[in-house]
Amino acid sequence: MVASPAQRRYNRRIIILSIVYAAVLMPVCWLFARHLVSGPLAYVLGILPAVPVCGFFVVIGLYFADERDEYVRMLMARQSLIATGITMTAATFWGFLENFDLVPHAVAYVWPIVWFGGLGIGGCVNKLSYGRAA
C-alpha cells in the first residue's frame, strides 16, 4: 500500500519529533543526574522533554485532519481508540492497586508510553482484522 501524502507528512513529523525528543532528553537527564540545575531553570528543563511527546499527539490530530481517505482515517481512529482503551484500563487498574499499596508508584509519564504501545497493538488488530488494507 502506497503511503498517502498525509501519511508521509505524519511520518516526517514523528521522525523529527523523535529526534528532538532524544536530543533534549539526554542532556536534561545528564544535567539532573549531576545536580547541575535548580530553581526555575530546573522546572523549565524538567518539562522540556515533555514538549516533543505532546507534539506526538498534535501530529496525530493533524494526521486526522489531513488524511482524505475515510477508510484509512477510520483505521487510525480505531487504532487510537484501542490504544486509549488499553491505557485507561491499565491506568485504572494500576491506580487502584497503587492506592492499596499492592504495587509501586508509577510515574505519570509511563501512561503515554503505554498508549504508544497500545497504538502498536491497535495497528496489529487492524492488520489482523482487515488484512493487507490495514
Side-chain angles (χ1 to χ4, degrees):
M1 184 175 201
V2 177
S4 71
Q7 289 169 329
R8 287 193 297 274
R9 284 189 297 274
Y10 168 83
N11 289 337
R12 185 174 46 253
R13 291 167 177 162
I14 290 294
I15 289 168
I16 290 168
L17 283 170
S18 297
I19 292 168
V20 170
Y21 174 69
V24 167
L25 183 64
M26 289 187 281
V28 167
C29 288
W30 187 87
L31 289 168
F32 275 95
R34 285 154 184 76
H35 307 285
L36 297 175
V37 291
S38 62
L41 179 61
Y43 286 90
V44 171
L45 292 176
I47 64 169
L48 202 55
V51 174
V53 174
C54 294
F56 293 142
F57 297 111
V58 171
V59 167
I60 290 168
L62 289 171
Y63 173 72
F64 278 115
D66 288 349
E67 183 57 67
R68 296 293 165 232
D69 186 321
E70 291 178 18
Y71 175 72
V72 174
R73 193 170 46 234
M74 181 277 300
L75 289 174
M76 184 62 166
R78 182 175 190 230
Q79 191 174 345
S80 297
L81 286 170
I82 290 169
T84 302
I86 289 169
T87 304
M88 297 307 288
T89 300
T92 301
F93 285 178
W94 195 273
F96 277 103
L97 291 172
E98 186 177 317
N99 187 59
F100 299 124
D101 294 321
L102 298 171
V103 295
H105 173 69
V107 292
Y109 63 79
V110 75
W111 302 118
I113 295 167
V114 171
W115 192 86
F116 291 123
L119 205 59
I121 292 169
C124 292
V125 169
N126 280 344
K127 196 64 123 172
L128 292 171
S129 299
Y130 295 102
R132 294 185 63 80

